[in-house]
Amino acid sequence: MLRHDELLGDEPGERLSALGFELIIGHTTNDKQLRDYPGIVTTMNRADHTETIRLAELGAFLRSRRESLSPAAAGLPPGMRRRTPGLRREEVAMLADIGTAWYTWLEQGRDVQASSGVLSALAGALRLDGAERRHLFALAGRQAPDAVAPGNHIEASLLRMLDNLRDQPAYITGRRWDILAWNRAAAALFGDYALLPHEDRNLLRMVFANPAHRALLAEWDDLARAALAMFRSDYGRHAGNPAFEQLLASLNRDSAEFRAWWPRREVLEPLSGIKLLNHPRQGRMSFEYSSFALQDGSERRLTLYTPLADDDSAAKLAALLSG
């Protein structure tokens, strides 16, 4: 059985992180308090254990970033000789404008529930880059603010990749399902998005408020309902965002089906599947589509369409491209 002095490190809870006990033991300061938690290991359920590990990881990440940041890099004078590398806890707390004790509890893995504002302040104080900032928010169990993501910018490397997908229609969409970039095959198959007003260059508006695109979709009813349910899954992360609410208002104005279906609150995760088209020039065409998330926190997606042997779709796509 572990003794109290074996459980506690230099500060309460610190030596327990590797054992996964910080959430409870981190608050204890004497043997009597330990005895108040009989069976502390055996009664810990799986959910508690997972949460404890997450909080310990959050604390360890904060400590690693603090210790790797020099006073000069943080805009502080070097001061007197330091016993530990990097910044002191009180310096991080000062830079983030939070209490030292509260920040110490975060590093110890205590369940203090840091808000998004506090996390943003800590990210700034610790000079975190985009990837580190998103990791901090993920460890804290919160969605990183939209401001940290690349948004609707499309890098030159992504444009080159799209251009090289010559026989597969493809496009990249943003978090609101706006169509940000596309290749020549997508323009040949679905129409040139560049000819649309910017506000109509959106997948949901294409489905519900563009008559020509609606006529192109052979199984519009099923596809539209599935698309709406998948969009709602994404919308949950941005409910109240003015750009999203503006899109919903425009769809509510322009589509009777949207007005009828949106209140049902149906939700689906993004799917791959088959899309059947009735093309005005080539007739029936079949494509398998897949969607891939860009792992940069932007919530952008690449969607690819592969022509199937059914309906001689590859040859019909080639004819559209050659014309």
Side-chain angles (χ1 to χ4, degrees), residues 45-312:
N45 61 36
R46 187 177 301 274
D48 290 337
H49 184 62
T50 299
E51 182 72 359
T52 300
I53 293 173
R54 182 181 66 79
L55 292 169
E57 277 294 314
L58 172 61
F61 179 68
L62 286 170
R63 181 171 185 167
S64 72
R65 297 306 90 194
R66 172 174 64 82
E67 292 180 345
S68 67
L69 184 64
S70 69
L76 297 174
M80 64 182 65
R81 192 167 69 87
R82 295 169 179 266
R83 293 180 300 171
T84 57
L87 300 184
R88 300 183 180 97
R89 285 171 173 166
E90 57 266 28
E91 290 172 329
V92 174
M94 178 191 69
L95 290 169
D97 197 24
I98 61 176
T100 300
W102 200 84
Y103 174 74
T104 299
W105 293 341
L106 273 177
E107 276 202 9
Q108 291 174 355
R110 298 190 185 188
D111 189 6
V112 292
Q113 297 298 320
S115 68
S116 293
V118 166
L119 293 172
S120 292
L122 285 172
L126 294 169
R127 305 298 193 264
L128 302 187
D129 62 23
E132 291 171 327
R133 183 182 177 121
R134 289 189 289 274
H135 185 61
L136 173 66
F137 273 79
L139 288 175
R142 295 194 180 277
Q143 176 72 24
D146 291 350
V148 307
N152 292 344
H153 172 68
I154 297 295
E155 297 86 336
S157 59
L158 293 177
L159 293 175
R160 286 192 293 271
M161 179 269 297
L162 284 175
D163 287 342
N164 280 297
L165 293 169
R166 295 183 176 86
D167 300 321
Q168 286 183 285
Y171 48 69
I172 294 173
T173 52
R175 62 171 58 90
R176 201 185 70 152
W177 292 27
D178 295 311
I179 303 164
L180 308 178
W182 57 93
N183 64 4
R184 182 169 173 264
L189 183 63
F190 297 116
D192 191 351
Y193 299 114
L195 300 179
L196 297 173
H198 189 270
E199 61 271 17
D200 288 337
R201 220 174 289 169
N202 174 277
L203 287 184
L204 219 56
R205 284 200 59 81
M206 294 289 291
V207 170
F208 283 96
N210 185 312
H213 190 75
R214 176 169 179 160
L216 182 67
L217 304 174
E219 298 176 338
W220 182 88
D221 194 88
D222 290 341
L223 187 146
R225 291 190 62 174
L228 192 60
M230 287 187 281
F231 179 80
R232 183 177 283 282
S233 180
D234 290 344
Y235 169 77
R237 294 188 293 275
H238 304 285
N241 180 297
F244 276 76
E245 299 306 322
Q246 182 181 17
L247 173 62
L248 297 180
S250 73
L251 289 165
N252 196 59
R253 179 193 66 220
D254 296 337
S255 171
E257 290 88 355
F258 179 87
R259 290 194 296 272
W261 295 344
W262 184 249
R264 297 180 184 179
R265 290 177 167 78
E266 297 171 337
V267 178
L268 281 176
E269 291 298 325
L271 303 172
S272 297
I274 306 297
K275 183 170 288 189
L276 304 178
L277 305 180
N278 288 322
H279 198 275
R281 289 171 52 193
Q282 294 296 328
R284 182 84 162 191
M285 301 176 71
S286 307
F287 290 84
E288 185 174 43
Y289 64 91
S290 300
S291 185
F292 305 92
L294 277 65
Q295 297 299 312
D296 60 359
S298 67
E299 299 181 57
R300 294 176 297 175
R301 289 195 184 105
L302 166 69
T303 302
L304 294 173
Y305 291 84
T306 302
L308 299 177
D310 299 347
D311 306 310
D312 203 19

Side-chain angles (χ1 to χ4, degrees), residues 1-9 13 15-16 19 21 25 28-35 40-41:
M1 180 168 179
L2 290 173
R3 299 191 315 274
H4 179 218
D5 59 352
E6 291 175 321
L7 287 171
L8 297 181
R15 287 179 60 188
L16 291 169
L19 299 175
F21 296 160
I25 303 295
T28 66
T29 57
N30 57 52
D31 288 325
K32 180 182 182 301
Q33 286 177 301
L34 281 175
R35 289 195 297 271
I40 192 168
V41 177

